């Protein structure tokens, strides 16, 4: 039962994050990208601190250092994602962000010299093809928003990789609190630096940012942490990768975005790349296991 509860929890997280792309698009009509990030992370640190107030008394220096590192990657990822959304569509933004899942193996290969298997390599190549179909125009040029979103995927990949390393020795809840605090500080530093200190209160804009802060940031991260206790990392990655699918669904339903055949094909290839690189299908795995034994 706990296994199914965990998987259901991760599915809810994916849906929340998918809807977050639409909320970001709506909030951008009322706030600047940097204002949105500062506010959503501020909401996150306030709520998390209130919920885990007692835990904060046991925080260690190593947790603060490591939490700050992943907090920097978290802010960079969200900043690139949000700014990228100004120049591209929510569905493309959602799918390109999901590419971070296949970038992680490359980080492990270059930093820790871990051997990259054929499934990860094939998944990466398939993702590149999907990205080309989804993003490249007939002229061969790449939309600026697509480029920023790809950089966002790289930042998210580093965030995922570092988190996986740090959580082995640190309290995951405290790491989450510290990274939110670091992201909040960076958020308001950028807002002050750019002089974007005028916040206009608008019901639609405030509602969208509150949704991002409460659901996409606070509840989603907490739910993900708890849910992953009851399921494997591979299944968690697969379920969370459907965030891209839900991002496209919500953008079509709420924002009336038109789904083209090119977009559908590219998105399908990217999603297939993610699934193949994470699951290593059994019907392809027999030959691979034989080669390993030899």
């Amino acid at each position: 039962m706990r296994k199914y509860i965990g998987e259901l929890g991760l599915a809810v997280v994916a849906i929340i994050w998918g809807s977050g792309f639409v909320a970001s698009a709506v909030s951008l009509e009322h706030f600047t990208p940097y204002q949105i990030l500062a506010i959503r992370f501020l909401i996150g640190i306030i709520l998390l601190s209130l919920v885990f107030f007692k835990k904060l008394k046991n925080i260690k220096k190593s947790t603060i250092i490591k939490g700050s590192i992943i907090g920097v990657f978290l802010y960079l990822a969200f900043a690139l994602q949000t700014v990228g959304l100004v120049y591209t569509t929510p569905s493309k933004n959602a799918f390109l962000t999901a590419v971070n899942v296949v970038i992680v193996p490359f980080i492990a290969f270059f930093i820790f010299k871990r051997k990259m298997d054929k499934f990860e390599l094939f998944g990466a190549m398939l993702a590149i093809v999907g990205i080309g179909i989804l993003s490249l125009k007939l002229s061969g040029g790449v939309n600026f928003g697509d480029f920023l979103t790809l950089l966002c995927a790289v930042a998210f990949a580093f965030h995922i990789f570092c988190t996986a390393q740090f959580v082995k020795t640190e309290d995951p809840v405290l790491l989450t609190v510290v990274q939110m605090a670091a992201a909040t500080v960076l958020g308001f530093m950028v807002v002050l630096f750019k002089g974007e200190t005028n916040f206009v209160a608008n019901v639609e804009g405030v509602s969208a940012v509150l949704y991002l802060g409460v659901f996409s940031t606070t509840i989603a991260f907490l739910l993900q942490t708890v849910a992953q206790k009851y399921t494997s990392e591979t299944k968690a990655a697969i379920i969370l990768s459907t965030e891209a699918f839900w991002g496209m669904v919500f953008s079509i339903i709420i924002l009336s975005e038109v789904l083209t055949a090119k977009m559908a094909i590219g998105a399908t290839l990217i999603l297939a790349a993610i699934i193949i690189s994470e699951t290593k299908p059994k019907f392809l795995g027999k030959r691979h296991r034989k080669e390993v034994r030899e």
Side-chain angles (χ1 to χ4, degrees):
M1 181 60 71
R2 289 184 176 181
K3 170 189 173 183
Y4 294 117
I5 292 177
E7 293 179 356
L8 177 61
L10 290 171
V12 173
V13 173
I15 294 173
I16 292 175
W17 283 349
S19 65
F21 286 101
V22 176
S24 293
V26 173
S27 60
L28 281 170
E29 298 177 3
H30 308 278
F31 300 97
T32 69
Y34 303 107
Q35 288 177 331
I36 294 171
L37 293 176
I39 296 173
R40 69 179 291 177
F41 287 128
L42 176 62
I43 294 173
I45 186 58
I46 290 175
L47 294 180
L48 287 173
S49 296
L50 290 175
V51 175
F52 299 106
F53 176 77
K54 293 183 179 180
K55 268 184 169 290
L56 294 176
K57 299 178 181 179
N58 303 318
I59 197 168
K60 299 181 297 183
K61 182 179 180 181
S62 59
T63 306
I64 295 176
I65 294 175
K66 294 175 181 178
S68 297
I69 292 174
I70 59 178
V72 171
F73 281 124
L74 182 66
Y75 180 79
L76 286 176
F78 273 107
L80 289 167
Q81 182 186 65
T82 305
V83 177
L85 193 56
V86 175
Y87 304 100
T88 190
T89 62
S91 63
K92 288 172 69 177
N93 187 273
F95 271 104
L96 291 175
T97 298
V99 177
N100 70 77
V101 180
V102 293
I103 296 177
V104 173
F106 283 95
I107 296 176
F109 175 77
F110 286 110
I111 296 181
F112 284 89
K113 304 302 179 181
R114 293 179 185 172
K115 186 177 180 180
M116 187 183 303
D117 64 30
K118 295 179 180 179
F119 294 102
E120 294 170 343
L121 184 59
F122 178 72
M125 294 304 168
L126 190 60
I128 292 175
V129 174
I131 292 169
I133 295 175
L134 182 67
S135 305
L136 297 181
K137 298 179 180 179
L138 295 178
S139 62
V142 179
N143 182 288
F144 183 59
D146 298 338
F147 175 70
L148 291 178
T149 308
L150 283 175
L151 291 180
C152 148
V154 174
F156 267 126
F158 272 100
H159 175 266
I160 293 171
F161 181 80
C162 290
T163 300
Q165 300 304 309
F166 297 159
V167 79
K168 296 177 182 178
T169 56
E170 305 294 339
D171 185 306
V173 173
L174 291 178
L175 274 176
T176 302
V177 174
V178 175
Q179 72 170 321
M180 286 293 166
T184 301
V185 172
L186 281 175
F188 279 98
M189 284 178 62
V190 173
V191 167
L192 291 174
F193 176 77
K194 294 184 66 65
E196 300 176 352
T197 54
N198 294 322
F199 292 84
V200 180
N202 178 283
V203 176
E204 185 180 41
V206 171
S207 297
V209 174
L210 282 176
Y211 182 87
L212 291 174
V214 176
F215 292 93
S216 296
T217 305
T218 309
I219 294 178
F221 274 99
L222 282 174
L223 189 56
Q224 178 190 5
T225 302
V226 175
Q228 284 198 246
K229 293 181 180 179
Y230 308 114
T231 188
S232 66
E233 294 181 0
T234 299
K235 286 187 177 180
I238 296 171
I239 297 172
L240 291 176
S241 70
T242 61
E243 164 198 359
F245 168 76
W246 291 110
M248 183 183 68
V249 170
F250 281 111
S251 66
I252 292 173
I253 295 175
I254 300 176
L255 300 181
S256 299
E257 183 178 338
V258 178
L259 176 63
T260 64
K262 181 181 178 182
M263 186 186 297
I265 294 173
T268 300
L269 288 176
I270 294 174
L271 193 57
I274 294 171
I275 294 175
I276 290 174
S277 65
E278 291 298 319
T279 62
K280 300 175 178 58
K282 293 181 179 180
F283 68 91
L284 294 175
K286 293 181 180 179
R287 181 179 178 182
H288 176 69
R289 286 195 295 271
K290 182 178 179 181
E291 292 176 352
V292 172
R293 285 197 300 269
E294 295 175 349

